[in-house]
Amino acid sequence: MMEYFPGVEKVAYTDDPMREGLFFRHYSPDRIVGGKKMKDHLRFSMAYWHTISSGIGDMFGAGTAIRSWDSVSDPMALAEARAYGAFEFLDKIGMDYFCFHDRDIAPEGDTLAESNKNLDKIVKLIKKLMNDSGKKLLWGTASLFTNPRYVHGAATSPNAEVFAYAAGQVKKAMEITHELGGDGYVFWGGREGYETLLNTDMKREQDNLARFLHMAVDYAKEIGFTGQFLIEPKPKEPTKHQYDFDVASGIAFLKTYGLDEHFKFNVEANHATLAGHTFQHDLRVARINGLLGSVDANQGDMLLGWDTDQFPTNLYDTTLAMYEILKMGGFTKGGLNFDAKVRRASFMPEDLFYAHAAGMDAFAQGLVAADAIIRDNFLDDILEKRYSSYETGIGKEITEGRADFKSLEAYILNREEIENESGRQEYIESMLNEYIWRAK
Ligand code: XUL
Ligand code: CO
C-alpha cells in the first residue's frame, strides 16, 4: 500500500521534553486530568482544507507544499490519494477527528448534480477509511465562498438563483455529514456580509440568511440529523463586514430570528482577535449564554490585520481557552479543530506533524494549567470575594429583585463615603504565570 508520509513514525509521548525530534512533550492521550483522559477533553481534529487540500500558497505566490500526491493530475484520483493520505496522517499524529468542506474532499463538477456524484464516490471511500480506522467526523460544512457564483454572498446574495444553489449545496453537505456520522455541522458565512452599504439591503439579506438557516433546521429534522448546528463568527475577510461579526452579534441574530435553540457557536481564536476581542472573550460570551459548541483552534499574528490561521502555541491563550471549556463542563459534540496552516516556508510534509504536535502540546499544557486553577478555586475565590457585597444586605436585595430606585436612594442618600477594594490584576496575572509554569 502506498505510504503518503514515508519516514514519519506514529508520534509518541516523551517524558523528556528537551529530547530532539518529533514527539509529544505534554500531550499524553490516556493521561487522566480532572477525571477524564486528555484525548477526551481535547477531542483534537484535523482541518482537511489546510492540512490535506491546501498547497499553502498566499495572495502573492503559488503554493510551496511538497506532498506525495503532487504528481497525481486526474482530479478524482487526486481526491482519492488525498483521502488515503488524510487517514494516514490522522493515524500517525494520533488524532481521532477531522473536519471538511464539501469541496475539500471532491472536485466540483460543471453542475451541482456532477459535484454531488463526485462527492458520493469520495464519501464512500472516506466512510470505508473511517470504519477501518475508527476515526470520526467532528463536523462537515459547505464551501459557499470559493466559487465565483458566490461573489455577492450565498444565502445573502441579491440573486435568488444563487440562494437556490447554496440551498442545494448545503442540503447535500448535510446529507454527507449525516452519512459519515458527523457530530456537528458548521455555517461559516465568509461572504455573508457586504462590501458597501450603498448597494446592500441589509434587512433583506439578514432575513434571507435566517430563512436559509431555518430551512437547514427543518431539513435536519427530516433526515434525522442530530448533530450540533454551529455558527462560526468572523468580523470580516473576505467581506469588509460579515453579519456573524462575533459571538455577541451572532447571539443577537439567532435570538432575533428564533434560531437560538438550534445553534451554538464554533469559536475561532483568530476570528475573535480580528473582531478586536481576545480568544477567551468570545469563548466566555458563548459559554455564559450556554452556546459554546466547538472551537477552531489557531492563533493570529497580532501585528497583522488578517486571518493568519497559525498553529496555536501561546500557552496563555490555550490555558484560558481550556479554562472556559472546562468551566462549561467540557465538550459534548464539539472539539478542538486545528483550523491552522503551516507557514508557506514550512513546506515539507513533516512540518505538518511538527505543527500539529506543537498545537496539541500547547493545549495539553493549557488543560493541565486550567485544571489546577479550577481545582484550587483560584479564580472562583477571587470572583466570590469580589462580588460578595451582592450576597448580603442591600446587595442581596438587589440580587433577589427586592430593591428598586426608591429603596436604593433611601439606603444611599446620606452615605458620605463608599469603600472600594483593589482589583489586584497584577497579582492575579503573576499567579496565572505560576499556574502555567508549574503545569506538569
Ligand atoms: C475561514 C474559516 C473556515 C471555517 C469553515 O476563516 O475559519 O475555514 O472554519 O468554513
Ligand atoms: Co474556522
Side-chain angles (χ1 to χ4, degrees):
M1 201 172 132
M2 165 88 183
E3 208 183 352
Y4 291 89
F5 296 99
V8 179
E9 304 284 316
K10 273 192 191 201
V11 182
Y13 170 77
T14 175
D15 56 11
D16 171 10
M18 296 308 284
R19 186 165 164 199
E20 212 184 307
L22 177 60
F23 295 101
F24 294 127
R25 299 160 204 285
H26 297 274
Y27 178 57
S28 177
D30 293 324
R31 178 178 159 191
I32 304 289
V33 178
K36 214 157 105 177
K37 285 182 181 175
M38 266 191 171
K39 66 173 181 186
D40 297 329
H41 274 292
L42 299 165
R43 290 168 54 99
F44 288 129
S45 156
M46 175 199 80
Y48 211 99
W49 52 102
H50 285 310
T51 299
I52 303 300
S53 312
S54 166
I56 61 170
D58 66 18
M59 307 246 278
F60 297 92
T64 54
I66 296 171
R67 303 287 182 255
S68 292
W69 47 77
D70 286 344
S71 56
V72 184
S73 53
D74 173 69
M76 282 303 280
L78 177 61
E80 278 171 24
R82 282 175 170 163
Y84 284 109
F87 281 80
E88 185 186 321
F89 180 83
L90 288 170
D91 176 50
K92 288 185 169 173
I93 197 69
M95 232 181 230
D96 291 336
Y97 295 89
F98 66 104
C99 296
F100 67 82
H101 301 84
D102 47 4
R103 304 299 174 244
D104 303 333
I105 59 169
E108 186 155 13
D110 290 336
T111 60
L112 187 58
E114 240 179 65
S115 303
N116 289 352
K117 225 169 93 192
N118 292 346
L119 270 175
D120 285 339
K121 204 164 163 209
I122 301 298
V123 165
K124 203 168 152 204
L125 170 62
I126 288 182
K127 194 169 179 183
K128 181 190 174 305
L129 292 168
M130 286 172 76
N131 283 338
D132 293 350
S133 64
K135 303 294 174 194
K136 290 168 275 187
L137 178 61
L138 190 66
W139 49 260
T141 188
S143 170
L144 302 180
F145 43 90
T146 28
N147 191 291
R149 87 176 61 85
Y150 296 121
V151 61
H152 301 303
T156 64
S157 172
N159 184 343
E161 300 259 307
V162 175
F163 186 107
Y165 202 109
Q169 193 180 329
V170 167
K171 175 178 176 287
K172 182 67 180 179
M174 282 170 58
E175 287 163 8
I176 60 174
T177 300
H178 185 40
E179 167 82 17
L180 297 176
D183 276 341
Y185 184 91
V186 161
F187 292 86
W188 171 62
R191 296 193 193 274
E192 311 294 32
Y194 63 81
E195 293 300 327
T196 170
L197 283 175
L198 297 175
N199 65 8
T200 300
D201 183 343
M202 190 192 257
K203 175 79 168 71
R204 188 198 284 264
E205 290 200 1
Q206 295 200 4
D207 287 352
N208 276 347
L209 181 55
R211 287 186 182 106
F212 192 92
L213 296 176
H214 274 292
M215 288 180 202
V217 169
D218 291 345
Y219 192 60
K221 267 191 211 130
E222 203 175 318
I223 61 174
F225 175 64
T226 53
Q228 178 63 54
F229 272 150
L230 298 155
I231 300 277
E232 185 179 318
K234 187 177 182 182
K236 56 191 166 189
E237 197 202 17
T239 52
K240 171 195 165 73
H241 177 92
Q242 194 176 303
Y243 295 133
D244 309 321
F245 191 91
D246 58 2
V247 173
S249 41
I251 291 173
F253 175 84
L254 292 177
K255 285 195 187 284
T256 301
Y257 290 100
L259 285 158
D260 47 310
E261 63 175 290
H262 304 292
F263 287 80
K264 287 187 175 175
F265 288 90
N266 183 39
V267 176
E268 177 163 329
N270 205 169
H271 294 182
T273 52
L274 273 180
H277 305 311
T278 59
F279 183 22
Q280 188 189 13
H281 169 97
D282 254 18
L283 292 168
R284 176 73 61 93
V285 177
R287 168 169 78 82
I288 62 176
N289 286 286
L291 294 172
L292 177 52
S294 200
V295 169
D296 268 9
N298 62 16
Q299 70 187 25
D301 185 323
M302 292 309 133
L303 300 182
L304 300 174
W306 64 91
D307 192 15
T308 58
D309 280 344
Q310 288 167 233
F311 276 87
T313 52
N314 182 317
L315 295 178
Y316 287 89
D317 286 340
T318 60
T319 298
L320 295 174
M322 288 315 301
Y323 180 78
E324 298 301 327
I325 291 159
L326 291 179
K327 277 299 215 181
M328 81 155 172
F331 288 123
T332 43
K333 290 182 174 180
L336 294 171
N337 172 49
F338 287 110
D339 191 353
K341 57 187 174 207
V342 286
R343 298 304 83 195
R344 189 163 175 266
S346 305
F347 44 75
M348 296 300 288
E350 51 270 28
D351 287 316
L352 288 174
F353 290 88
Y354 281 102
H356 283 79
M360 292 160 85
D361 273 339
F363 267 96
Q365 212 179 345
L367 166 66
V368 174
D371 175 63
I373 291 170
I374 289 171
R375 256 188 302 112
D376 292 354
N377 281 322
F378 170 58
L379 292 176
D380 277 343
D381 284 350
I382 287 168
L383 294 196
E384 197 182 310
K385 189 158 177 292
R386 191 153 186 250
Y387 295 90
S388 59
S389 70
Y390 284 94
E391 299 301 327
T392 56
I394 194 72
K396 196 166 183 196
E397 285 181 28
I398 296 171
T399 305
E400 293 178 354
R402 284 183 281 110
D404 59 22
F405 271 11
K406 280 187 286 178
S407 70
L408 292 171
E409 184 200 45
Y411 174 82
I412 212 72
L413 205 55
N414 294 310
R415 177 70 56 94
E416 282 180 8
E417 255 174 60
I418 290 177
E419 255 178 58
N420 264 314
E421 282 178 25
S422 166
R424 306 177 80 208
Q425 182 173 336
E426 297 77 6
Y427 161 71
I428 299 167
E429 286 170 347
S430 76
M431 290 304 291
L432 175 61
N433 279 351
E434 290 301 322
Y435 276 106
I436 293 171
W437 282 330
R438 281 160 208 267
K440 285 268 163 1

